[in-house]
Amino acid sequence: MQLAIQLIFAQVGIDQIIDNGAATSQSIAEGWDKQWLDLLQNNTSNNLYGALTNLGIFFAVGTLLFFMIQFLKDLISYEYTRPISALIWPFIVVVLLSNSGNGSILSNLTLGVRNVLNTVNQQVVVSADADKIYQQALNMSVAEEVAGSLLRPCQSLTGEQQSQCFVKAAEKVNVLWQKYREIYGNKNWINRLQTKVDNIRYGTGIVSETSFNSLLGSTVQTGIKNFLVSLQYAFQNLIEATMLLIAVLGPIAVGGSLLPVAGKPIFAWLTGFLSIGIAKISFNIIAVLTAAVIVNGPGQNANVDPDLMWFIIFLGILAPILSLLVAAAGGFAVFSAISSTASLVKERI
């Protein structure tokens, strides 16, 4: 992990390491945009979505037999009231699965819902991250490891070689502090970190492993933090991948909706899609609110040297779990609301 940090610096430079918390979520979503368009809108007659649409049509034709049996049974038992209201489902299925080659109505509606969810998510993140709170908290947590990765190779040297190594490393770290100040201003946590680095750079004698770790953390802690930060970004990409997977399975859910059952598959599909959107929004809200605790607390006190490992653990493990639990509860509420509304409409038609 230490080598990985150095390679990142060598390849992209310090400027690109400082990222914006609001832009991170948006950039991940934008990275998936082309895949969404390729699957759901471009040449849908011959791609994966087109094949699944044909499968959905096959399911619709197969379940139409069960629908007609139930329809005739209702026609005999309830005269015309209930059967007429049930005729809306074949109409909905035919309309949604009509594929013109440039996307069906279902695929265009799916893209529209995804765009609405992404817009709401971005508005929430931007409004809550107006002072770059998330960015500050994340940089507070990893800045020591970044500085340590530059200074640690000097620890094994002695004499003039070590002094020269510290000078070169300090020049790179000073660029980092300068960029931090350009973005956030002269914050206390930046001054505290710069003081830590200066204590090592201008210290006398050989810097022991214990002293070095007490100032800038151990290599084990660095590796764990890098892993957990990567885990956070992996979760956000997993959210996007799951949304896309649910989206392409939409035609199958629509095709199975002619089954004469109370809970239509299309309702379950829509609930799953909205639930993933809720998880996405919840994760970003949780991350920003937790970051505010750090920035407005220990980040304002130059004399406090907090261990922010808990924040990285929270982002990498606990926040994804919590957001999924919130999404599950929200999804259950959405499914209940949709089912109740559908039953009410059916009774009144």
Side-chain angles (χ1 to χ4, degrees):
M1 288 293 181
Q2 178 183 345
L3 178 59
I5 295 178
Q6 296 173 359
L7 291 175
I8 290 173
F9 268 93
Q11 291 170 1
V12 301
I14 291 178
D15 291 1
Q16 297 182 24
I17 291 178
I18 306 174
D19 197 5
N20 184 275
T24 300
S25 176
Q26 183 179 15
S27 64
I28 289 175
E30 290 175 350
W32 287 89
D33 282 347
K34 186 177 184 301
Q35 192 66 35
W36 277 81
L37 293 176
D38 288 343
L39 281 177
L40 272 70
Q41 203 167 62
N42 299 332
N43 193 25
T44 53
S45 297
N46 301 316
N47 65 4
L48 175 62
Y49 192 82
L52 291 174
T53 299
N54 293 333
L55 182 60
I57 294 174
F58 175 77
F59 281 178
V61 173
T63 56
L64 183 61
L65 175 62
F66 298 98
F67 176 84
M68 292 305 300
I69 293 174
Q70 185 65 41
F71 178 81
L72 293 174
K73 180 180 177 181
D74 291 341
L75 187 63
I76 296 172
S77 302
Y78 301 95
E79 295 183 351
Y80 295 100
T81 306
R82 183 171 175 182
I84 292 176
S85 65
L87 285 177
I88 191 174
W89 281 109
F91 175 77
I92 291 175
V93 171
V94 171
V95 170
L96 291 180
L97 294 182
S98 299
N99 190 357
S100 63
N102 292 319
S104 61
I105 293 179
L106 176 62
S107 65
N108 291 326
L109 288 175
T110 304
L111 284 172
V113 174
R114 186 229 180 199
N115 291 336
V116 170
L117 290 174
N118 281 345
T119 300
V120 172
N121 176 68
Q122 197 58 29
Q123 289 175 346
V124 168
V125 174
V126 170
S127 61
D129 200 33
D131 296 324
K132 300 182 176 67
I133 292 176
Y134 173 79
Q135 180 188 3
Q136 284 194 62
L138 191 59
N139 282 323
M140 284 175 62
S141 303
V142 302
E144 291 184 358
E145 277 65 34
V146 174
S149 69
L150 293 171
L151 294 173
R152 199 174 295 278
C154 306
Q155 184 183 2
S156 60
L157 303 177
T158 58
E160 185 64 23
Q161 288 183 332
Q162 186 183 65
S163 299
Q164 292 298 322
C165 180
F166 278 143
V167 170
K168 293 180 181 180
E171 290 176 354
K172 296 180 181 180
V173 176
N174 286 336
V175 174
L176 184 64
W177 306 146
Q178 180 181 352
K179 293 298 179 181
Y180 281 164
R181 289 190 172 96
E182 289 176 0
I183 297 174
Y184 312 124
N186 192 27
K187 300 293 184 179
N188 289 328
W189 64 269
I190 302 175
N191 296 330
R192 174 174 55 80
L193 292 175
Q194 185 174 15
T195 301
K196 279 189 173 186
V197 173
D198 290 342
N199 289 339
I200 293 178
R201 178 185 177 186
Y202 298 112
T204 58
I206 299 175
V207 182
S208 66
E209 180 73 20
T210 302
S211 300
F212 197 98
N213 292 344
S214 66
L215 289 172
L216 293 178
S218 65
T219 54
V220 174
Q221 190 178 45
T222 300
I224 294 174
K225 282 189 176 181
N226 287 323
F227 171 75
L228 292 175
V229 170
S230 299
L231 196 63
Q232 171 207 168
Y233 295 137
F235 175 75
Q236 295 187 49
N237 278 280
L238 179 63
I239 288 290
E240 291 294 332
T242 305
M243 287 187 70
L244 183 56
L245 175 62
I246 295 176
V248 298
L249 294 177
I252 298 177
V254 172
S257 295
L258 290 180
L259 287 171
V261 293
K264 298 294 183 181
I266 189 173
F267 295 158
W269 171 79
L270 181 60
T271 300
F273 194 78
L274 293 177
S275 296
I276 294 299
I278 293 174
K280 182 178 181 179
I281 296 172
S282 299
F283 176 82
N284 287 304
I285 293 176
I286 294 168
V288 172
L289 292 179
T290 309
V293 174
I294 295 175
V295 173
N296 297 328
Q300 301 296 328
N301 193 339
N303 298 320
V304 175
D305 188 12
D307 183 5
L308 299 181
M309 188 68 181
W310 70 268
F311 177 64
I312 302 299
I313 294 174
F314 190 87
L315 284 183
I317 300 176
L318 301 181
I321 294 175
L322 181 57
S323 63
L324 291 177
L325 292 175
V326 172
F332 178 78
V334 170
F335 182 77
S336 299
I338 293 176
S339 299
S340 300
T341 303
S343 300
L344 181 61
V345 171
K346 184 177 179 180
E347 292 174 358
R348 299 202 173 192
I349 293 180

